[in-house]
Each structure stands twice: as structure tokens, then as C-alpha cells.
Amino acid sequence: MLNKDNKIYVAGHHGLVGSAIWNNLKARGYNNLVGRSHKELDLTDQVAVKQFFDEEQPDAVVLAAAFVGGIMANSLYRADFIMMNMKIQCNVISEAYAHGVKKLLFLGSTCIYPKNAPQPMKEDCLLTSPLEYTNEEYAIAKIAGLKMCESYNLQYGTNYIAVMPTNLYGPNDNFHLENSHVMPAMMRKVYLAKLIHDGEWEKIAIDLNKRPVEGVSGAASHDEILTVLAKYGISDNKVVLWGTGTPLREFLWSEDMADASVHVLLNVNFSDIIGIEKYSSVHYGASTNGAVDRNHSAGRGGAIPALGEIRNCHINVGTGKELTIRKLSELVVKAVGFEGTVEFDATKPDGTMRKLIDVEKLHSLGWTHKVEIEDGVQKLFDWYRQSLED
């Protein structure tokens, strides 16, 4: 069990997930936190990562750093996505082990599951059929990361846990129209369509100065602004969204994700996940001082006959609830106070029709979500408007 004096390294502490985990730990009274920006520490640099662990000697690690991007980036930079993420994971996990880190939490993604996985997706459907081609490299890297955690635990008796969050939204979300996810993109489109109708050009300028669209800022002419926004389905009191609106999606408030992550970090051990109490005595009993014995493992390669095959030890993190994209648009319209028209262009692709995860394992470990989607959409819009004033 970690105490409040233990030093916790949060890798990726400026990101959507990492920043929320950092704030959650702070709120719980864990103030001995360590973070490094990408400029300060390149996690793909093995020597630099070793030097960091030598200097800081963290007691626990949260690995929330990753090389990420949308469908286009995943398609264009396939080698980068697998290599960069594998380097980050290998460097951090291997140095955590070498420096005797007590607990490690690895953050993945539900993109690890097969493209045609049965719904809702249980942890056990991992590696049962082919992945979605467009993000195959990222998914393979994340699968390797969770397997590293699993394998270190089985061979060395470490306590490394992997969690796989569903679609996230919340503070510090990405609202850039060219590469944002469905909810923030939809929200900004509806907001801008309302501002155009209301003639609120000063607010439009503030919005575009904060997040230019294709290089067009608030300094551009009204015609230039209207032209570029029209490319994204935004016009006077009207928004056009891609697809039919029928695909189902699950969303989790990022601060809920952080709370789940910290709950697992502080309260859940590998032995809890595999449900076999004797696992702890097999591994952790090997040393007289309570430390992991690095020269011996009673279960090298996981070959402990009493345990059988141990796999799929990761934990899905989500709500277990879903809604259609059309219903989501209605919640966004209500939050923004939009009185115009939302149309769906059925000639455009829908993407995956359903992507829901099973959260029974998470619930059994003592955590359930708190923020429902209806409240979360309003909270996100409130945050977005506040971000324009900062």
C-alpha cells in the first residue's frame, strides 16, 4: 500500500488523462509527485530515462504518456506509432523494475480489442480476432504494454496493473476541428453556428484566436471565416455532422477516469485481479525484508501449475453505458442553448457502429463512475467557455 509520503512519478502529466490523475492524487493528499514535460525528458531515450530514475527513485509510476493521434496520423505514421510507444513503454517499465518501484499503473486504450469483438467487450476478448486496421500499430503497442505488466508480475512478482479506458472527454480536451474527437468537435461546431446566427463576431474572433482553423484566426475577414467554417459543416444556425447519427458510443468523464486509475493504484493488487490469494505468498514470500527477490521467481514465465494460464489481467474502465451520436448531438444542443438545425450527412462514413466495454471487473474491484453523460456534456461546455476567457 502506498502512503502519502511515497514519491509518485506521473509520466504524461500535462495530458488529458495524466493531468486529471495528478489533480486527483493531489486532492487525496498525495503531494510528493514528480512530472517531466516532453522537453525535459524524452521517454524514448533509454539513457535519459535511466538517469531520471537514478535521480528521482520513485516509489510508484503512472504511465500515462503516449504517442497519439487520429485516424489520419495513425495511417500516415504507422512506424512511428508502434516504435515510439514501444520505446516509451519498454524504457519506463524496465527502469521501474530495475529501481524497485512498488507499484506501476499502465494506461492503455480500448482500441486494443478486435474490430468485430462481441459487445459489450470483455477483457477476455483480447487477441481473439483481427484489430481495426487504421490503428493497428497503436493497438499492438498498447497490447505489448499490458502484456509487459502481466509478464513482469508472473516472472518477478511485481505489482504492475494495466487499465484500458473507453472514449474520454473533459477538461483539457482537444477542440481543434481538424483532429479532435467526436464530442468536442460537435460541441464547438454547434457553438460557432450559434455565434454566427447571433452576430457575435467578437466571440467568434476570440474562439478562432484561441484555436485557429486551417490557419484562419479571428483576424480574418467575416467571409474568410465563414468559408473555412463551412468546410466543417458550420453555418448560420445550422450544423452538418458526418454519418447517420445511429452509431453507439460510450463516454467517460476524464476526472472519473482519473479517480478510477487512482483507486486502482492505491487499492488494487495483481493478486486481487487474478483472484488467487496464494499468488501473493508464492511471489512476495521469497524475500525476508518484503522486497521483490530479483534473482528468483517461483513462477518464471507464469508456469505455476496451481494458477493455470494467467492472461487478460488488464481492467476495462468506463461506464458500461452507451448512447447514439444523434442523442449526443441533442445533449450538446441543449448545453449550448442552440436553437438552429443539426443535420446528418448519410453519404459520409459512420465508423464503427458500436464500441461498448464490459465493466464488471472494475465494479467488482470497488469503483463505479460518478458523472453521467447528461451532466458531463454540460460540464465540458462550461469548461470550454471558460477556456476562451483564460
Side-chain angles (χ1 to χ4, degrees):
M1 178 66 183
L2 297 173
N3 63 55
K4 292 182 180 178
D5 295 325
N6 287 143
K7 182 182 286 188
I8 303 174
Y9 167 45
V10 182
H13 71 298
H14 286 318
L16 176 68
V17 176
S19 62
I21 290 174
W22 181 285
N23 293 336
N24 189 283
L25 284 164
K26 284 276 191 182
R28 292 175 186 243
Y30 289 81
N31 293 308
N32 193 5
L33 305 181
V34 182
R36 293 286 189 277
S37 68
H38 177 66
K39 287 184 179 179
E40 294 170 320
L41 175 61
D42 179 359
L43 293 176
T44 66
D45 183 335
Q46 187 176 11
V47 174
V49 173
K50 181 182 184 302
Q51 184 177 7
F52 167 78
F53 273 84
D54 287 343
E55 293 171 357
E56 292 293 346
Q57 297 288 331
D59 298 297
V61 171
V62 176
L63 181 43
F67 184 74
V68 297
I71 292 175
M72 182 64 74
N74 272 272
S75 299
L76 290 174
Y77 308 114
R78 297 180 75 90
D80 289 348
F81 269 87
I82 193 165
M83 186 60 73
M84 300 285 275
N85 283 298
M86 288 293 290
K87 282 183 176 180
I88 290 169
Q89 294 162 192
C90 288
N91 290 341
V92 173
I93 292 173
S94 63
E95 291 304 327
Y97 171 70
H99 289 81
V101 164
K102 296 178 184 178
K103 193 78 176 279
L104 182 142
L105 185 73
F106 173 75
L107 278 294
S109 163
T110 52
C111 72
I112 62 168
Y113 292 118
K115 179 177 182 178
N116 298 316
Q119 304 287 321
M121 300 181 290
K122 289 181 176 288
E123 287 86 353
D124 288 346
C125 73
L126 181 68
L127 297 176
T128 56
S129 61
L131 298 163
E132 163 59 49
Y133 181 74
T134 56
N135 67 350
E136 194 173 37
E137 279 67 24
Y138 183 75
I140 287 172
K142 288 300 179 182
I143 292 169
L146 74 86
K147 284 294 181 183
M148 282 183 219
C149 293
E150 198 174 276
S151 300
Y152 268 82
N153 292 343
L154 291 170
Q155 183 169 345
Y156 296 117
T158 49
N159 203 7
Y160 301 167
I161 314 293
V163 292
M164 302 294 131
T166 187
N167 302 304
L168 300 176
Y169 69 106
N172 299 313
D173 218 330
N174 174 16
F175 283 83
H176 289 274
L177 294 179
E178 292 103 312
N179 58 4
S180 58
H181 290 133
V182 60
M183 190 189 302
M186 183 188 294
M187 186 170 285
R188 190 179 180 197
K189 288 177 181 182
V190 171
Y191 177 62
L192 286 169
K194 181 179 187 298
L195 293 182
I196 293 170
H197 181 69
D198 294 344
E200 297 271 13
W201 285 99
E202 186 175 333
K203 290 183 178 180
I204 293 172
I206 291 171
D207 184 284
L208 292 176
N209 284 335
K210 185 85 172 184
R211 300 174 180 87
V213 179
E214 294 186 8
V216 175
S217 70
S221 70
H222 291 185
D223 285 344
E224 287 175 311
I225 290 172
L226 290 173
T227 299
V228 75
L229 293 183
K231 292 172 63 176
Y232 294 89
I234 305 164
S235 57
D236 183 345
N237 228 25
K238 180 180 175 182
V239 173
V240 179
L241 303 174
W242 278 29
T244 62
T246 57
L248 290 156
R249 290 291 181 272
E250 175 184 15
F251 295 96
L252 180 66
W253 183 245
S254 61
E255 292 172 338
D256 266 358
M257 169 58 202
D259 195 62
S261 299
V262 175
H263 172 82
V264 169
L265 179 69
L266 301 180
N267 302 298
V268 177
N269 295 312
F270 185 62
S271 56
D272 299 322
I273 296 171
I274 63 175
I276 302 176
E277 292 180 6
K278 71 179 76 173
Y279 173 86
S280 296
S281 61
V282 168
H283 281 296
Y284 298 109
S287 172
T288 56
N289 63 3
V292 175
D293 183 343
R294 306 193 181 287
N295 301 311
H296 171 74
S297 168
R300 186 168 298 280
I304 307 173
L307 301 188
E309 291 187 355
I310 302 296
R311 53 164 59 98
N312 302 330
C313 301
H314 57 286
I315 306 167
N316 287 340
V317 180
T319 64
K321 299 179 180 182
E322 60 190 346
L323 78 167
T324 65
I325 297 298
R326 185 177 295 276
K327 176 61 178 176
L328 176 64
S329 73
E330 292 169 3
L331 294 178
V332 169
V333 162
K334 181 181 177 183
V336 175
F338 183 62
E339 297 179 350
T341 304
V342 175
E343 293 182 1
F344 285 86
D345 182 355
T347 65
K348 297 292 194 295
D350 268 326
T352 305
M353 292 306 293
R354 194 179 183 208
K355 191 181 174 188
L356 179 67
I357 56 172
D358 184 293
V359 289
E360 184 179 345
K361 183 188 287 189
L362 179 65
H363 289 175
S364 73
L365 295 168
W367 190 91
T368 56
H369 73 282
K370 299 173 184 65
V371 179
E372 299 294 352
I373 187 70
E374 293 81 4
D375 297 325
V377 169
Q378 184 64 58
K379 284 162 69 78
L380 182 63
F381 183 59
D382 292 343
W383 180 88
Y384 180 67
R385 281 192 301 186
Q386 184 61 46
S387 76
L388 297 173
E389 298 174 9
D390 294 340

